[in-house]
Amino acid sequence: TDKDLVERTLKIENTTMEISPNDPQVYWTKAFTLFRSGDVEGAKETAQKAIEIAPYIDFSHELLESFSK
């Protein structure tokens, strides 16, 4: 089911975050997964974490903004 797929995807993304906690791309993919699964607040929080890691990357700001529309 879609729910199972989301759970498995988030598990992989969480593991990836443990391996590469300072890579904003990891947070972008998790944010997309959360957003697509309906967890808009979780997506925003995850995108915000990407901004905290690398505030100079415009994409992180754009991603957060897109979740706020």
Side-chain angles (χ1 to χ4, degrees):
T1 66
D2 287 345
K3 183 179 177 183
D4 292 334
L5 179 60
V6 169
E7 288 178 11
R8 287 186 303 195
T9 302
L10 289 171
K11 184 176 180 181
I12 291 167
E13 290 167 342
N14 288 334
T15 300
T16 306
M17 289 168 71
E18 290 175 17
I19 294 167
S20 300
N22 296 316
D23 182 352
Q25 291 181 339
V26 175
Y27 294 85
W28 300 340
T29 55
K30 182 176 180 180
F32 276 121
T33 301
L34 292 168
F35 184 77
R36 299 273 299 157
S37 71
D39 184 358
V40 177
E41 288 307 311
K44 289 179 183 179
E45 290 171 11
T46 304
Q48 181 62 47
K49 182 65 177 168
I51 291 170
E52 292 169 12
I53 291 168
Y56 50 86
I57 298 177
D58 292 337
F59 182 76
S60 297
H61 298 274
E62 294 165 5
L63 185 63
L64 179 59
E65 185 178 321
S66 74
F67 295 150
S68 299
K69 292 181 180 180

